[in-house]
Amino acid sequence: MKCSDSLQGLAASAEVNTCLERAKVGIPEFAEVYGHLELAQSILSCWDSWNRCQTVSINKAINAQEVAVKEKHARTCILGTHHEKGAQTFWSVVNRLPLSGNAVLCWKFCHVFHKLLRDGHSNVLKDSVRYKNELSDMSRMWGHLSEGYGQLCSIYLKLLRTKMEFHTKNPRFPGNLQMSDRQLDEAGENDVNNFFQLTVEMFDYLECELNLFQTVFSSLDMSRSVSVTAAGQCRLAPLIQVILDCSHLYDYTVKLLFKLHSCLPADTLQGHRDRFLEQFRKLKDLFYRSSNLQYFKRLIQIPQLPENPPNFLRASALSEHISPVVVIPAEASSPDSEPITDLVEMDTASQSLFDNKFDDIFGSSFSCDPFNFNSQNGMSKDDKDRLIEQLYGEITGLKEELENFKAESTRGAVQLRGRASELEAELAEQQHLKQQAQDESEFLRTELEELKKQREDTEKAQRSLTEIERRAQANEQRYSKLKEKYSELVQNHADLLRKNAEVTKQITVARQAQGDVEREKKELEDSFQRLSEQAQRKFCQPLPLLQSQEQAEVLETLKRELAASKQELQVVQGTLESSTQAGAEQNTRIASLEQERDRLSRAAEQHRDEMAALQAELQQLQDTLSSEQENSRTELETLQTQLRDKGTAREAERMVQDALTRMEDPAHISCTGSADCLLSRTLAASECAERLRDAHSKYLLDGAAVGSLLPCLALFAHLVSDTLLQGSATSHVAPVEPADRLLELCKQCGSAAVSYLSALQDPGTVASADCSLVTACLGQISAIGEELRPRGLDVRQEELGDLVDKEMAATAAAIETASARIEEMLSKARAGDTGVKLEVNERILGSCTGLMQAIHVLVLASKDLQREIVESGRGAASPKEFYAKNSRWTEGLISASKAVGWGATVMVDAADLVVQGKGTFEELMVCSREIAASTAQLVAASKVKADKDSTNLCKLQQASRGVNQATASVVASTKAGKSQVEEKDSMDFSGMTLTQIKRQEMDSQVRVLELENQLQKERQKLGELRKKHYELAGVAEGWEEEAAD
């Protein structure tokens, strides 16, 4: 503040500076004309003395000692720039310093130069721009040094170069960046493009400041009190200038962003918002860390940024913005600074001495002389006295205002310190509560892991038991089949044995018959032989002896006998032939029977082998079944032992008891809950109690059903504990009477649950254990929760049924309206368009019409399926009651219907713009895909409660496939139309020169890079939008509550 007062006093003594400057220029001429060399030598002596003083101050300010720059030397350098109206002397001294050889020297140079740019004369920037390249080279040189001050000097030099470039491009901004809102508006010349570019430059400027801030902090060992050491203060001292710059840059950036958001769309400024948010977080953290350092506490009051960044999407948030003000207390000057007298008095004394010397030498008659410095501005001495008195009055007034401001600042600082103390105490308390909550969360997490592990073990045992039972049943079925097969084989074997005996008997009979036939044949052959011999003996007698009558008769008789013998011989031969034929047949039959007997023998042997193998396999299966039954019995006994040993039941009891204890914990008093969450917890606990009762009943009937009882116990204890804690939290925000009743019921419910779980642990009382008291308490808690719910929710639940019908009707109406608009657009296109444009428009509008028809069919199918779901699920209740009972499903259905209707409207608008030539094909494709996604949401919402064998569900799925096909048709037709239009509008490069083509190529490359950058940003934005949409949809649909259930 003393520096500021000195600068104000310096403005009053500007005439002395003018005299010195003009004297320096006019000394030779003055001495030549008037011959008064004494005055000339005196002026030169004063100038040389000032120059030497300035050189000494610069050398003292910029030295190789690792200590902070002394304030008095830096102030002398600043005043010197105002005396000479520039920085020639400063740079003439600095150019002789070895800045490239000593990092500490370069660091202190950067500090002093930063002060000159901020508080020095406005010509300092003009005199320093010529050294900008040298600063860049020095920055690159120090950047290669990774330790000590190397990186610090490199980053600081980059910051100074950025500062010079910023002020060169924006000359309206002073070096200290102090501007009013009106001056800020004038800097942008009321042009949104200028404001946009100015914001980007400020972002770059602030980025360099933050980089230096972070680099300095990262180079310090924050575990020690580095701010009280000379080396630490040497590094921290320049950050005061950085803090001053950052406070103004942050304030101007916020105001410019609000101004840009009032003129440009929010999507265009997404990059600005992201960059501002990143810098806001860094600056807030650095301000907070700086305010805790002892070095800064006595030199500067650092402002604290708000907890949350400004919301630029809400214009009224600008009124909530408070500009950060950095306050430098009056006692902020370093202890080694010397008291400096008022510059006005010093300059007035110098002026008086100079006037006296002038009057002694020349007298007062040179008032009209051109070298009379006192009157060359047309001002007499009385006018100057009045001006000085006027300036004194203004300075006094400013000092009074400064004192008032200091007093107000002190009062504000005291209030802020008190508030900070309160916030610190509250923060400590919150940290304590947070630690308790973390410990409790860790304990609950451990318990949850144990319960999950037990549940997994139980489920694994249950699955293994189920698998063993399934395998045992499969083995029994296989054993039954094998037994049936064995019986069948035994029966077949007996049949084969009987057949074999019969065949053997038949063979024996056939052989006997064959022997009889052979004997008869032999007898007949013997008889025939004897008859033949007798006949031959009779015919061999001589004929002369047969002369008598008797001989004739004998001959006749013999002839007859011979004929009879021949006849009998023929009969015997026939019989013999038939007997031979019968014997051959018998032989053939015997051979076939022997073959059959051999086959049957082999089959019987094979059946014996199969029976032996089946008996061995049957024995093996019986052994396996016995071992598996033994294992099942062992596992069942293990589970029963686990239940009897009070493992799961004891853990469940301890969980409920812990919930009752936490209800009495004072730390739980600050927890609050809602009636809706309490109702959801109570409903889940009641359903779990019903499942536990069924599992308990099954366990009492069959001890093997313990696998289904154990998981229910763990879940029951968890849900009851959660209900108790949620009920206690809800009672903290409820009226007194319902809160007391709710708290008492929670305690009763917890006691009943503990008693029930204790009964399950005792084998003598496990049969009489009953959880009906717990169910009754849960029902009463649910009733109180219904009383505590806001009445508006009940009305909304009752209106859900009507709202579903309204939304479905509105969706159908929107689709019909869209179809009518498409038909109207198609008619207009046919009437007004020709050629390729008509063909493209007809194809696109035709595909859009097909999509609308498919969506209309899908909406009708969805309504039919919805009606079927309501009729099958409501029972004796009304449809409205069914919708209210299934409110979550109903809300999803309503949301899906709204999305379909909105998508149809948007797609028609996009198609209209495309037909008119004002829209883009990509927008139409995106709209068609979006409406397809909305219909998929409607299908999912409709089929979630539908029967999988429902006919209406099949129709809905078929309609959904039709919508997908129609969407693909829209996309395909749009792409085809786009390609046709692009082919029609293809560029002709035949008339362009080489230079023009090169220029077009460069423009195309620039455009490609811009589009790639824009594409990357849009993809990031799309990802963030989808993430936010998912979060909002989750909140609206209650996913978090369902996940908690």
Side-chain angles (χ1 to χ4, degrees), residues 451-469 471 631-632 635-636 638-639 642 648 704 706-711:
L451 290 175
K452 285 183 177 178
K453 195 173 296 181
Q454 291 180 2
R455 182 177 180 181
E456 290 175 357
D457 295 340
T458 305
E459 290 178 351
K460 189 180 297 182
Q462 180 68 22
R463 287 195 298 270
S464 62
L465 181 61
T466 305
E467 181 66 20
I468 290 171
E469 291 178 352
R471 289 166 59 186
N631 292 334
S632 301
E635 292 181 2
L636 182 59
T638 302
L639 292 174
Q642 183 180 358
T648 305
V706 68
S708 62
L709 178 61
L710 295 179

Side-chain angles (χ1 to χ4, degrees), residues 701-742:
L701 295 176
D702 183 10
V706 68
S708 62
L709 178 61
L710 295 179
C712 291
L713 277 178
L715 183 60
F716 172 76
H718 172 70
L719 292 177
V720 169
S721 302
D722 199 5
T723 302
L724 297 180
L725 294 177
Q726 189 63 36
S728 176
T730 306
S731 67
H732 295 156
V733 295
V736 178
E737 183 179 355
D740 293 340
R741 288 192 289 118
L742 179 59

